C-alpha cells in the first residue's frame, strides 16, 4: 500500500528530472567545430572553423588543440605572421626543436585565436601553418598517420555572463587579457561535441629496403670514387 | 681598365636590382625572395644588440662575427646585410681578376672571364641578393689563394684562419696549400728538382713519405702558425664570451651533422633508414673514407695549379659529403666561376682540355642541378 502511493511520486520525480535535463540540453545549442588540413605534403595549413550555439557578444573566441609529436608549428613563422596581423596564436612550450624527428619530439599545445567569419553571424575561423616531422621508417607500410584531435572551443569573456548550463570555467595558461585586474575568464563548453579525428599521412621509408639501399649506395659511391681516382692518376702530375 | 670598370658596374647594378626586387617580393608575395638564413642572421644580430648570445636563436649555426657584422641590420635597415654580401661579391671578382692577371692572362681576356663567369652570372647574383653569406667566405678563400700565389704567406694565413673560422670546409685546402708552399717556384727549385730525380728512382710509398717530410718548410710552418693562431684566438675569445654553446653550434654541429631531412647527399636514404640501427656508426665511417681518400689523392696530383686543386677539393667534398643542402652545392660553383682555372688559363698552364672538361662539366652539371632544386631549406 505504501509502495503504491510512492510509485506515482517516483515516476513524477523522474519525469521532472528528465524534463529538466531536456530543458538544459535544449537551452544549449551545440557548438560545432571543424578542422581541415589544406595543401599537400609536409607543409600544411590547419584551418579551424567554429560555429557557436549562441551569440559570442564581444567575447574572444579561441580554439585549443593538442598537437601530437608528429607535427609542429614553427614559432618564428608564427611570430612573423603575428607581426603582419595575419594570425594570432600561442604555443606551449614556446621553445620547440624544429629539426627533431617525430620519435624525439614532444607534443605541444596550440591556442589559436579565431576571427569572425563573414559567412554567418556566429561563425569564427583561423588558419595556422603546420609542418610534419620526419617519422621512423616502417615495415610493411609506406605511410605513417598523424591523428589530430578535435580542438576545444574556448571563450574569453570580460563583461558578459555566460550561461552556466552551457559553459564552465576553464584552466588555461594564457591570461585572457593583459589586464590582470579585469574579471576576464576563460570558459569552455560543458558538453564536448562529437568529433572525428583529422588525419595527416606522412610518407616513410621501408625498413625492408635497408640492406639493398646500403649496398647500392656504397657500391655507387665506391664506383664513382674509383672513376675519379682513375682520372686523377691518369692526368695528375705525380712526378717531381 | 675601362672594360673592368664597366663589368664591375654592370655586376653592381644587376645585384642592386635583384635586392630591390627581393624587397618587393617579400612584401607582396607569400613566397619570400630572401633566404630563411637571412632572417636567422637578423634575429641573431638583434639578440647581439640586446647584449645576449646569438645562439639563443634556434638554427643559428655560424660564427658570432657574422651576427656582429650584421648589427646595422637592426640599427639602419634590414637590407644592410645583403648590400654587404654584394660588396663581398664584387671584391671577390676583383681578387679573381688580379689572380688571373698574375698567372699571365691578358687584361681583356681576364676581364671577360670574370664578367661572364662571376659578375654577370645569375647564380652568384641570386645567392648574394638573397642574403646568403657565402660571398664572404668565397672572398676570404680567393684572397688566401691569391696571397699564396703572390708569396705573402702571412696575409694568406690570416685570411685562411678567418675563412676556416667562418666555415669548416676550407680546412680541406690545408693540404694543397701546404704542398704548394713547399714547392713554390724560385725557392730552391733546383734543389727540389735534384731531389726529384733521385726520388723518381725510389718506390712510390717512400716518395710519399719524402713529400710529407719536406712539407715542413719555413713557409709552411709560418702559414700553419699564423693561421692556427688566428683561429685559436677567435675560438678562445668567443668561447670566453658565449661558452659551450658557441663551440657546439659553430663547430661541432657541422662536424657531427647527420641531417635526415631535406638532404641531397647520395647517402641520405641510407642514413635515414639506418638512423637508429647499430650499424649507423660503421656506415658513417664507410661514407667518410672515399671522401678522405679522394681529397688526399687529388691534393697530391694537382697541387701545382692551386685554384684547380681547391675547386676539385670543394667539388669532391660537397658531392661525397653525408649532408648536402642546396646551399652547400653552391660552393663549388663559386670556386669554379671565380677561379676560372680551367677556362681562362694561359695556354701553357692549361690541363689537357678534353679530359678536364669532362670532370668539370660533370660536376658542374650536378652543381647546377642541385642549385635549381630550390633554395628553401625545408
Amino acid at each position: 500500500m505504501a509502495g503504491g502511493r510512492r510509485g506515482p511520486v517516483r515516476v513524477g520525480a523522474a519525469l521532472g528530472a528528465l524534463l529538466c535535463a531536456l530543458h538544459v540540453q535544449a537551452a544549449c545549442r551545440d557548438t560545432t567545430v571543424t578542422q581541415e588540413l589544406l595543401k599537400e605534403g609536409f607543409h600544411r595549413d590547419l584551418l579551424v572553423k567554429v560555429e557557436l550555439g549562441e551569440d559570442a557578444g564581444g567575447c574572444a573566441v579561441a580554439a585549443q588543440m593538442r598537437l601530437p609529436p608528429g607535427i609542429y608549428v614553427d614559432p618564428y613563422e608564427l611570430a612573423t605572421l603575428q607581426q603582419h596581423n595575419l594570425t594570432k596564436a600561442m604555443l606551449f612550450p614556446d621553445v620547440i626543436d624544429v629539426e627533431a624527428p617525430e620519435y624525439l619530439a614532444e607534443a605541444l599545445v596550440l591556442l589559436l585565436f579565431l576571427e569572425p567569419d563573414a559567412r554567418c553571424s556566429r561563425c569564427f575561423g583561423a588558419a595556422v601553418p603546420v609542418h610534419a616531422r620526419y617519422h621512423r621508417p616502417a615495415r610493411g607500410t609506406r605511410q605513417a598517420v598523424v591523428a589530430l584531435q578535435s580542438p576545444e572551443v574556448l571563450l574569453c569573456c570580460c563583461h558578459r555572463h555566460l550561461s552556466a548550463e552551457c559553459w564552465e570555467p576553464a584552466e588555461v595558461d594564457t591570461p585572457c587579457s593583459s589586464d590582470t585586474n579585469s574579471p576576464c575568464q576563460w570558459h569552455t563548453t560543458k558538453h564536448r561535441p562529437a568529433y572525428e579525428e583529422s588525419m595527416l599521412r606522412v610518407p616513410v621509408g621501408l625498413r625492408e629496403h635497408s640492406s639493398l639501399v646500403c649496398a647500392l649506395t656504397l657500391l655507387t659511391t665506391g664506383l664513382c670514387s674509383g672513376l675519379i681516382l682513375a682520372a686523377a692518376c691518369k692526368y695528375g702530375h705525380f712526378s717531381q | 681598365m675601362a672594360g673592368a670598370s664597366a663589368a664591375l658596374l654592370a655586376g653592381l647594378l644587376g645585384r642592386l636590382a635583384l635586392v630591390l626586387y627581393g624587397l618587393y617580393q617579400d612584401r607582396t608575395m607569400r613566397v619570400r625572395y630572401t633566404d630563411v638564413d637571412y632572417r636567422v642572421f637578423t634575429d641573431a644580430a638583434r639578440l647581439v644588440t640586446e647584449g645576449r648570445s646569438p645562439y639563443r636563436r634556434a638554427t643559428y649555426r655560424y660564427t658570432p662575427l657574422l651576427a656582429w657584422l650584421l648589427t646595422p641590420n637592426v640599427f639602419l635597415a634590414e637590407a644592410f646585410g645583403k648590400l654587404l654580401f654584394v660588396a663581398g661579391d664584387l671584391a671577390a671578382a676583383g681578387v679573381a681578376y688580379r689572380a688571373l692577371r698574375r698567372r699571365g692572362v691578358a687584361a681583356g681576356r681576364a676581364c671577360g672571364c670574370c664578367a661572364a663567369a662571376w659578375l654577370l652570372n645569375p647564380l652568384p647574383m641570386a645567392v648574394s641578393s638573397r642574403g646568403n653569406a657565402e660571398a664572404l667566405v668565397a672572398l676570404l678563400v680567393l684572397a688566401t689563394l691569391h696571397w699564396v700565389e703572390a708569396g705573402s704567406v702571412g696575409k694568406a694565413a690570416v685570411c685562411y684562419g678567418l675563412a676556416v673560422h667562418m666555415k669548416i670546409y676550407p680546412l680541406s685546402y690545408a693540404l694543397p696549400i701546404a704542398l704548394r708552399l713547399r714547392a713554390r717556384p724560385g725557392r730552391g727549385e733546383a734543389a727540389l728538382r735534384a731531389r726529384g730525380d733521385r726520388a723518381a728512382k725510389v718506390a712510390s710509398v717512400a716518395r710519399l713519405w719524402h713529400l710529407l717530410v719536406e712539407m715542413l718548410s719555413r713557409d709552411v710552418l709560418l702559414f700553419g702558425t699564423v693561421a692556427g693562431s688566428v683561429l685559436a684566438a677567435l675560438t678562445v675569445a668567443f668561447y670566453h664570451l658565449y661558452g659551450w654553446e658557441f663551440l657546439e653550434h659553430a663547430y661541432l654541429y657541422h662536424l657531427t651533422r647527420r641531417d635526415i631531412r631535406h638532404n641531397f647527399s647520395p647517402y641520405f636514404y641510407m642514413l635515414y633508414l639506418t638512423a637508429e640501427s647499430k650499424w649507423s656508426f660503421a656506415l658513417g665511417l664507410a661514407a667518410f673514407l672515399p671522401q678522405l681518400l679522394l681529397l688526399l689523392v687529388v691534393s697530391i696530383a694537382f697541387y701545382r695549379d692551386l685554384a684547380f686543386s681547391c675547386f676539385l677539393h670543394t667539388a669532391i667534398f660537397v658531392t661525397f659529403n653525408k649532408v648536402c643542402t642546396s646551399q652547400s652545392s653552391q660552393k663549388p660553383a663559386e670556386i669554379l666561376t671565380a677561379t676560372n682555372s680551367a677556362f681562362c688559363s694561359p695556354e701553357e698552364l692549361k690541363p689537357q682540355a678534353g679530359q678536364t672538361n669532362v670532370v668539370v662539366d660533370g660536376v658542374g652539371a650536378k652543381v647546377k642541378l642541385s642549385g635549381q632544386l630550390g633554395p628553401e631549406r625545408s
Side-chain angles (χ1 to χ4, degrees), chain A residues 45-176:
Chain A
D45 275 342
L46 180 63
L47 180 66
V48 177
K49 290 195 276 207
V50 162
E51 187 172 349
L52 291 177
E54 55 189 80
D55 216 12
C59 295
V61 184
Q64 179 165 274
M65 58 208 100
R66 193 174 169 281
L67 296 176
I71 68 174
Y72 68 98
V73 176
D74 187 346
Y76 297 102
E77 196 181 11
L78 204 58
T80 317
L81 289 172
Q82 287 186 147
Q83 247 179 0
H84 293 289
N85 284 328
L86 289 170
T87 307
K88 187 159 182 270
M90 312 283 278
L91 278 173
F92 310 101
D94 51 0
V95 172
I96 298 175
D97 185 353
V98 300
E99 294 171 325
E102 172 262 342
Y103 46 92
L104 294 176
E106 292 168 354
L108 44 100
V109 173
L110 174 71
L111 180 67
L112 181 65
F113 288 87
L114 307 177
E115 298 292 313
D117 201 349
R119 289 179 306 121
C120 60
S121 62
R122 294 183 191 150
C123 290
F124 296 83
V128 64
V130 294
H131 309 276
R133 292 191 190 274
Y134 270 52
H135 286 61
R136 297 192 149 95
R139 227 170 247 292
T141 166
R142 287 179 192 276
Q143 287 182 332
V145 173
V146 179
L148 289 174
Q149 291 170 349
S150 184
E152 189 185 342
V153 179
L154 296 170
L155 276 189
C156 170
C157 286
C158 302
H159 307 295
R160 208 195 125 176
H161 181 67
L162 291 170
S163 57
E165 302 137 348
C166 311
W167 302 92
E168 60 185 7
E171 278 294 316
V172 178
D173 290 322
T174 319
C176 208

Side-chain angles (χ1 to χ4, degrees), chain A residues 1-17:
Chain A
M1 297 309 129
R5 251 180 278 142
R6 259 177 272 158
V9 172
R10 274 202 213 115
V11 169
L15 259 175

Side-chain angles (χ1 to χ4, degrees), chain A residues 193-216:
Chain A
Y195 62 85
E196 49 177 83
E197 284 181 338
S198 244
M199 306 282 220
L200 172 62
R201 291 182 197 283
V202 176
V204 291
L206 285 174
R207 272 202 201 280
E208 294 93 325
H209 294 163
S210 297
S211 328
L212 183 65
V213 167
C214 289
L216 272 178

Side-chain angles (χ1 to χ4, degrees), chain B residues 36-346:
Chain B
V36 172
D37 273 340
Y38 193 70
R39 273 233 67 96
V40 176
F41 298 156
T42 312
D43 288 343
R46 188 164 300 122
L47 287 168
V48 163
T49 56
E50 292 164 9
R52 293 154 70 196
S53 160
Y55 298 103
R56 296 279 94 222
R57 201 322 179 172
T59 74
Y60 182 77
R61 301 220 162 88
Y62 314 93
T63 164
L65 269 180
L66 194 57
W68 288 12
L69 265 179
L70 293 182
T71 44
N73 271 25
V74 181
F75 296 132
L76 294 175
E78 202 170 305
F80 170 81
K82 291 187 185 178
L83 296 174
L84 182 68
F85 301 148
V86 163
D89 239 11
L90 299 175
V95 172
Y97 176 77
R98 283 181 65 182
L100 282 172
R101 295 286 284 129
R102 262 207 114 257
R103 289 159 76 105
V105 179
R109 194 184 155 127
C111 178
C113 278
C114 280
W118 184 254
L119 286 170
L120 302 177
N121 183 349
L123 182 60
M125 281 171 108
V127 163
S128 291
S129 59
R130 289 188 75 225
N132 202 309
E134 287 293 331
L136 296 180
V137 184
L139 172 62
L140 286 169
V141 165
L142 285 176
T144 308
L145 299 182
H146 174 63
W147 290 127
V148 166
E149 295 279 352
S152 312
V153 179
K155 289 184 200 165
V158 169
C159 289
Y160 184 70
L162 262 176
V164 172
H165 175 71
M166 289 194 80
K167 291 265 160 137
I168 300 271
Y169 77 87
L171 202 57
S172 67
Y173 302 154
L175 187 56
I177 290 177
L179 287 170
R180 187 81 179 93
L181 284 174
R182 179 197 71 94
R184 254 180 334 116
R187 283 204 169 241
E189 198 180 337
L192 275 171
R193 258 198 238 114
R195 254 186 248 132
D197 290 331
R198 266 186 287 127
K201 292 171 193 139
V202 182
S204 58
V205 172
R207 215 185 320 167
L208 197 67
W209 175 247
H210 225 74
L211 203 76
L212 291 172
V213 160
E214 281 176 8
M215 272 215 297
L216 298 174
S217 75
R218 182 193 147 260
D219 280 344
V220 174
L221 285 173
L222 177 66
F223 185 85
T225 314
V226 175
S229 316
V230 167
L231 193 57
L234 285 169
T235 307
V236 165
F238 288 129
Y239 180 73
H240 184 68
L241 276 174
Y242 301 120
W244 175 250
E245 253 187 342
F246 154 68
L247 284 179
E248 193 191 335
H249 288 292
Y251 292 147
L252 294 178
Y253 171 79
H254 297 286
L255 292 172
T256 61
R257 186 175 181 186
R258 285 167 159 274
D259 199 342
I260 59 166
R261 317 175 308 141
H262 57 64
N263 191 348
F264 297 119
S265 161
Y267 299 107
F268 153 63
Y269 197 36
M270 181 179 88
L271 291 176
Y272 166 69
L273 286 178
T274 57
E276 292 179 291
S277 89
K278 58 184 194 289
W279 292 110
S280 161
F281 180 70
L283 285 171
L285 205 59
F288 180 60
L289 288 176
Q291 203 176 19
L292 187 63
L293 182 65
L294 280 175
L295 289 178
L296 276 175
V297 170
V298 154
S299 305
I300 298 172
F302 296 110
Y303 70 85
R304 278 170 197 80
D305 185 349
L306 193 58
F308 183 60
S309 165
C310 289
F311 161 67
L312 283 179
H313 259 255
T314 314
I316 290 169
F317 184 83
V318 166
T319 311
F320 287 85
N321 207 17
K322 288 198 282 285
V323 173
C324 179
T325 63
S326 55
Q327 280 112 348
S328 49
S329 60
Q330 286 154 358
K331 290 195 241 298
E334 289 168 7
I335 306 282
L336 169 66
T337 53
T339 59
N340 306 302
S341 57
F343 309 114
C344 286
S345 307

